[in-house]
Amino acid sequence: MRRVVVTGMGAISPIGNSVEAFWDALKEKKVGIAPITYFDTEEYKVKLAAEVKEFDPLTVMDKKEARRMELFSQYAVAATAEALSQSGLELTEEECLRTGVSIGSGVGSLQALEKGYSKLVEKGPGRVPILFVPMLISNMAAGNVGIHFGLKGKNINVVTACATGTNSIGEAFRTIQCGDADVMVAGGTEAAICPSGIAGFSALTALSTVQDPLRASLPFDKDRSGFVMGEGAGVLVLEELSHAQARGANILAEIVGYGSTCDAYHITSPAEDGEGAARAMQLAMQEAELAPDEIQYVNAHGTGTHLNDLCETRAIKKAFGEAAYQLNINSTKSMIGHALGAAGGLEAVACVKTIMENYIHATAGFNQAEEEMDLNYTPEGTSREVTAALTDSLGFGGHNAVLIFKKFR
């Protein structure tokens, strides 16, 4: 199999609209959760979300192009622009033929659905917006990235709910490994902080109703009460090793393992014993040829819901055995909320930065866990040599996706 490396990264997040701003905020334990400003929440139990701030699509596209994209697509294009710029990839006509896109969104544009349906009900089918469908469907993030940058290789949109971003990167990894592309732009994007998004997840009792921004998203803590909706985009440029070396690229890290499984258990709840997630971790370690004690860090799914954090802890123990107690585990969602399909992309960026800087950011807000949850959830940021990092994402429907990044040698 061909080796695959990371040569560029981009991020749009509730705590910064670049990789460096995002990473610096993570190190500072900056929480990007605040009262929702996108709509009136008077009738909603949920008052908080992690919104992206001060985002201007016109920094990467013109007004006409921006009008033809919903926010989740704009985030994806902006994050890709940063990632490609860092990679230094020269997008010649020949290069574009071997450069693909694997950027997923869990739900696409709920806002477009809300607007289109309102028009249908209020004014009839003849008044539904012309671009209703192309603005709504989730594949348009990947499609718009391909169109904007002229990338003509494989272009796919993986949709596995909250595992979307991680699966998207994993499938891009596989694409390069098997020779279908030399370069893949990969990650996740989401913008679902809107009435139907908040109401829908509230109906599942999945969202925290706490109104203190610093105590709303509490992954692994005994006071956790649900997740906080986030948004944004995280994108990596993945490249076949010899291709990157031939052009003198700066290699940030290497992807060495990918595991993907299904719980086959329940449409929203994870398997209580963590078997499916553990198996995905084991598959990724097997491919990476790494023993559990050779991995120092796990960027956990860590949503802050009661079942997820407990079952994920069980999965880590099952996959790592006694080595689980030597890990640093954290949840990026403690600061940026749960960005659904974008979560895995942003967490992959955090993993690569952790490897590059040998610094593991804190799980903000973590004070005390339950008796069974006795691992090191990193309450304070810590410096530690990290040669290998694992990130896992778990989605409704029982989707489990795991990636392992390694320091490039």
Side-chain angles (χ1 to χ4, degrees):
M1 286 288 190
R2 307 198 309 168
R3 292 174 68 182
V4 180
V5 295
V6 181
T7 58
M9 300 193 294
I12 300 294
S13 83
I15 53 175
N17 295 334
S18 69
V19 168
E20 289 310 313
F22 169 60
W23 178 244
D24 287 346
L26 287 177
K27 290 191 292 184
E28 295 166 7
K29 292 177 68 173
K30 180 179 178 181
V31 174
I33 297 166
I36 293 170
T37 64
Y38 290 163
F39 62 95
D40 185 354
T41 62
E42 184 177 354
E43 296 183 7
Y44 294 75
K45 292 181 180 179
V46 172
K47 306 295 184 182
L48 304 179
E51 298 175 347
V52 167
K53 290 91 174 169
E54 299 178 356
F55 173 73
D56 182 4
L58 301 185
T59 60
V60 293
M61 65 186 74
D62 61 32
K63 289 183 180 179
K64 181 179 179 181
E65 190 176 12
R67 283 196 300 268
R68 290 174 175 264
M69 285 189 212
E70 284 291 290
L71 197 55
F72 79 105
S73 289
Q74 293 178 358
Y75 287 165
V77 171
T80 299
E82 182 186 11
L84 286 172
S85 176
Q86 183 184 32
S87 77
L89 189 68
E90 185 179 352
L91 294 177
T92 63
E93 185 174 347
E94 182 180 3
E95 195 72 72
C96 286
L97 295 175
R98 295 282 297 167
T99 300
V101 180
S102 177
I103 294 178
S105 170
V107 296
S109 178
L110 293 177
Q111 295 91 329
L113 182 61
E114 290 172 350
K115 294 172 191 173
Y117 185 71
S118 293
K119 289 282 188 181
L120 175 65
V121 171
E122 295 168 8
K123 299 187 177 182
R127 298 298 296 275
V128 170
I130 293 171
L131 296 180
F132 172 57
V133 171
M135 299 283 270
L136 162 69
I137 52 181
S138 64
N139 72 295
M140 289 309 295
N144 276 312
V145 166
I147 292 165
H148 183 88
F149 297 99
L151 309 180
K152 297 183 177 181
K154 177 188 285 189
N155 191 299
I156 57 175
N157 168 47
V158 179
V159 182
T160 49
C162 306
T164 291
T166 301
N167 273 135
S168 295
I169 296 169
E171 295 306 313
F173 170 59
R174 287 278 182 264
T175 295
I176 296 173
Q177 276 186 319
C178 71
D180 284 351
D182 295 326
V183 181
M184 290 290 290
V185 174
T189 186
E190 206 78 86
I193 302 172
C194 60
S196 59
I198 297 297
F201 281 104
S202 293
L204 290 169
T205 65
L207 296 182
S208 173
T209 57
V210 171
Q211 296 190 36
D212 178 355
L214 299 181
R215 299 301 296 166
S217 182
L218 298 176
F220 303 109
D221 192 87
K222 66 180 179 63
D223 293 331
R224 65 192 185 279
S225 59
F227 76 80
V228 174
M229 186 82 84
E231 62 175 352
V235 171
L236 307 182
V237 175
L238 306 186
E239 198 165 343
E240 191 273 324
L241 175 58
S242 64
H243 182 279
Q245 290 175 326
R247 66 181 189 85
N250 179 32
I251 295 172
L252 310 179
E254 182 175 5
I255 298 187
V256 292
Y258 172 46
S260 188
T261 64
C262 181
D263 287 346
Y265 172 70
H266 190 272
I267 59 172
T268 57
S269 296
E272 292 185 8
D273 62 358
E275 185 277 332
R279 192 156 36 88
M281 294 176 193
Q282 290 164 341
L283 288 170
M285 286 190 276
Q286 181 180 336
E287 180 177 22
E289 298 182 344
L290 290 172
D293 62 3
E294 294 179 288
I295 295 172
Q296 298 82 32
Y297 165 56
V298 170
N299 185 297
H301 190 54
T303 61
T305 64
H306 178 76
L307 275 177
N308 175 92
D309 296 359
L310 177 60
C311 298
E312 188 174 9
T313 294
R314 290 170 177 166
I316 292 169
K317 290 180 179 181
K318 190 181 292 284
F320 282 84
E322 285 302 310
Y325 292 90
Q326 305 306 314
L327 292 167
N328 274 95
I329 301 163
N330 67 9
S331 173
T332 303
K333 294 181 182 72
S334 64
M335 289 175 267
I336 65 169
H338 189 354
L340 308 181
L346 287 164
E347 288 156 12
V349 171
C351 281
V352 173
K353 290 297 290 183
T354 296
I355 288 170
M356 292 173 67
E357 297 195 11
N358 294 310
Y359 183 85
I360 300 169
H361 76 71
T363 299
F366 177 83
N367 291 327
Q368 183 179 351
E370 300 164 6
E371 183 177 353
E372 187 179 344
M373 297 166 60
D374 56 353
L375 301 180
N376 179 5
Y377 302 109
T378 316
E380 297 296 335
T382 183
S383 294
R384 179 180 181 179
E385 176 72 17
V386 178
T387 58
L390 181 148
T391 180
D392 68 287
S393 296
L394 319 174
F396 282 180
H399 303 287
N400 305 300
V402 172
L403 292 167
I404 297 177
F405 295 89
K406 191 175 179 182
K407 199 178 291 288
F408 177 69
R409 306 263 188 225

